[in-house]
Amino acid sequence: MFIKIKNFAHFKVQVAILLIAISCGLSLVLSTCMLNFWLAKEQIAHSTISLFALINLPYCINFLWAPLIDKSNLPYLTKKMGHTLAWIFVLQIILAACVFVLGCSRPDKNLNEVAVLAFTIALLSSTYSSLANALRSEILKPKDQGAISGIYIFGYRTGMLIGGSGGIYASIHITWQDIYKLSAVLIFLIALVLPKLLGRISQARENTSESRKIKLQDILKPIGSTLFISIIFLFLILYRIPDNFITVMINPFLLDIGFTEAKISIGSMLYSSVGVMSGGILGGYLMRKVNIVQALWYFGLIHCIAHLFFILLSIVDNNLTLYLFTSVFEGVTGGMAMTAYISFITAICKGEYRATQQALFSSVMGISRSVLPMVAGFLVMHLGWTSFFMLSTFISAISLCLLFVMRQKFWHHIYG
């Protein structure tokens, strides 16, 4: 799974990135699907459970407080570990404490307390994820981002599987309170291990005056002009929105064409998840041979082709072989495209405010995942499944056209 090891220090960096990714993936499901399943088992009303989706709003707006993180040093820890790693360490410790307290809660007795704790977890987790991305941009060169992003995707999905499928399975034998407490212990142990693996990371921002007023132009200036940044935002949205459309509507689609819950769980959960994890590692390996911009193009094109199989599936209806093949192909190519996508975001962030830039660009993923797909059901209702998947494929093709036109500017910004 690991990329070519140059020395032991390089290996420790890879292990650290893997552990950070596991923690990020685990902390995400703790306030999403894992929490929703727990609430459902506690007989909480569906209408109430749906409102818990608002808990993850911090993932869309974490760029608002990211400048404060960028400009604020932590006494003793910043000098000991470096700015970003110090904040990651502190946030993980607080996150582990909040998860443990949530594990002591009773949703059937005090739902408001659960909501507050879950929101706090999402707040900490979203901030921690942005800092984790910023850390990669600080300790790695652009040419190494692809391979490390593959490891990150693998670890992120592993964390989600531990908390998602693993948590649900574990709930057969132990209580949900115990599951959350064990998750807290895992996050806490990862927090303790990271400083040992990475040591102290030197950063120029430690000598920056904290009293200087933070301006948006100071944050974005290292990236480029307003027009260039706007084009980056447009590309990030178009590149990911087809996947987010399909993710939102995949289960209703599969039910409509006659698949059972058991077959859906095997294809959508198992085959797709394994496909994404494999695609992340494969994408990371292939990015040792191509640059980030080329990877965005090649992987995006293959993933666009994968969308075509949903069109075919909507025409032939209940075909298990085609469905499983589509799940694997979509998962593998999606993991590859996501590896290039994350590498791109990491590589374009430069200067003093990397964490804020990461949060800003990552919020586009949150908006593309949580807000824009709200129209997907409306599109299906008016277009039908076949036309819906054709539209998703067309949007993916538009993003590739934009990338083709802008490839020289993207190349110059990352490698210039």
Side-chain angles (χ1 to χ4, degrees), residues 126-148:
S126 64
T127 307
Y128 164 63
S129 295
S130 295
L131 285 167
N133 292 330
L135 184 69
R136 294 205 315 275
S137 71
E138 291 168 351
I139 64 178
L140 297 167
K141 297 178 180 179
K143 64 183 180 65
D144 294 325
Q145 291 293 345
I148 291 296

Side-chain angles (χ1 to χ4, degrees), residues 322-393:
L322 178 59
Y323 165 50
L324 295 179
F325 173 80
T326 302
S327 295
V328 174
F329 190 31
E330 174 79 9
V332 171
T333 58
M336 294 169 65
M338 194 63 182
T339 298
Y341 186 82
I342 291 176
S343 300
F344 176 71
I345 291 179
T346 303
I348 60 177
C349 294
K350 295 182 177 181
E352 181 182 352
Y353 296 98
R354 282 189 177 93
T356 303
Q357 294 165 4
Q358 286 281 350
L360 189 59
F361 288 124
S362 296
S363 70
V364 175
M365 285 195 291
I367 294 171
S368 181
R369 180 178 61 241
S370 305
V371 179
L372 296 179
M374 289 192 301
V375 304
F378 175 83
L379 292 173
V380 170
M381 185 173 63
H382 286 80
L383 299 177
W385 287 114
T386 301
S387 297
F388 170 75
F389 289 122
M390 290 177 65
L391 176 62
S392 299
T393 306

Side-chain angles (χ1 to χ4, degrees), residues 170-367:
S171 67
I172 300 173
H173 307 284
I174 60 178
T175 67
W176 277 102
Q177 284 82 359
D178 290 335
I179 292 172
Y180 270 79
K181 290 175 183 176
L182 289 173
S183 299
V185 172
L186 178 57
I187 294 172
F188 179 75
L189 291 176
I190 290 176
L192 296 181
V193 170
L194 288 180
K196 300 293 184 182
L197 292 171
L198 294 175
R200 185 186 185 280
I201 301 173
S202 299
Q203 292 154 301
R205 65 160 56 91
E206 293 170 18
N207 298 320
T208 303
S209 172
E210 299 180 11
S211 60
R212 182 165 60 88
K213 186 177 180 180
I214 303 170
K215 297 180 180 180
L216 183 61
Q217 64 186 33
D218 295 330
I219 296 172
L220 298 179
K221 185 178 180 180
I223 298 177
S225 65
T226 302
L227 177 60
F228 182 64
I229 294 170
S230 299
I231 291 173
I232 290 176
F233 276 123
L234 179 60
F235 169 72
L236 292 176
I237 291 173
L238 292 176
Y239 198 80
R240 286 300 301 160
I241 199 170
D243 268 353
N244 295 325
F245 271 7
I246 293 172
T247 298
V248 168
M249 300 307 299
I250 185 64
N251 288 334
F253 165 65
L254 295 173
L255 289 171
D256 276 0
I257 63 176
F259 286 106
T260 63
E261 287 83 350
K263 292 179 180 178
I264 292 173
S265 65
I266 293 174
S268 296
M269 294 297 292
L270 181 59
Y271 279 61
S272 181
S273 295
V274 172
V276 171
M277 295 167 68
S278 302
I281 297 300
L282 177 60
Y285 173 78
L286 293 176
M287 286 187 70
R288 294 166 54 189
K289 305 178 183 300
V290 298
N291 61 61
I292 294 173
V293 180
Q294 290 172 329
L296 281 170
W297 169 256
Y298 294 133
F299 298 171
L301 180 60
I302 297 172
H303 193 45
C304 183
I305 294 173
H307 295 330
L308 297 175
F309 285 92
F310 282 109
I311 300 175
L312 182 60
L313 190 59
S314 69
I315 296 173
V316 302
D317 284 345
N318 195 331
N319 186 306
L320 181 60
T321 302
L322 178 59
Y323 165 50
L324 295 179
F325 173 80
T326 302
S327 295
V328 174
F329 190 31
E330 174 79 9
V332 171
T333 58
M336 294 169 65
M338 194 63 182
T339 298
Y341 186 82
I342 291 176
S343 300
F344 176 71
I345 291 179
T346 303
I348 60 177
C349 294
K350 295 182 177 181
E352 181 182 352
Y353 296 98
R354 282 189 177 93
T356 303
Q357 294 165 4
Q358 286 281 350
L360 189 59
F361 288 124
S362 296
S363 70
V364 175
M365 285 195 291
I367 294 171

Side-chain angles (χ1 to χ4, degrees), residues 88-103:
I88 286 176
F89 176 78
V90 169
L91 287 175
Q92 275 194 297
I93 296 297
I94 300 174
L95 177 63
C98 290
V99 172
F100 190 87
V101 173
L102 181 56

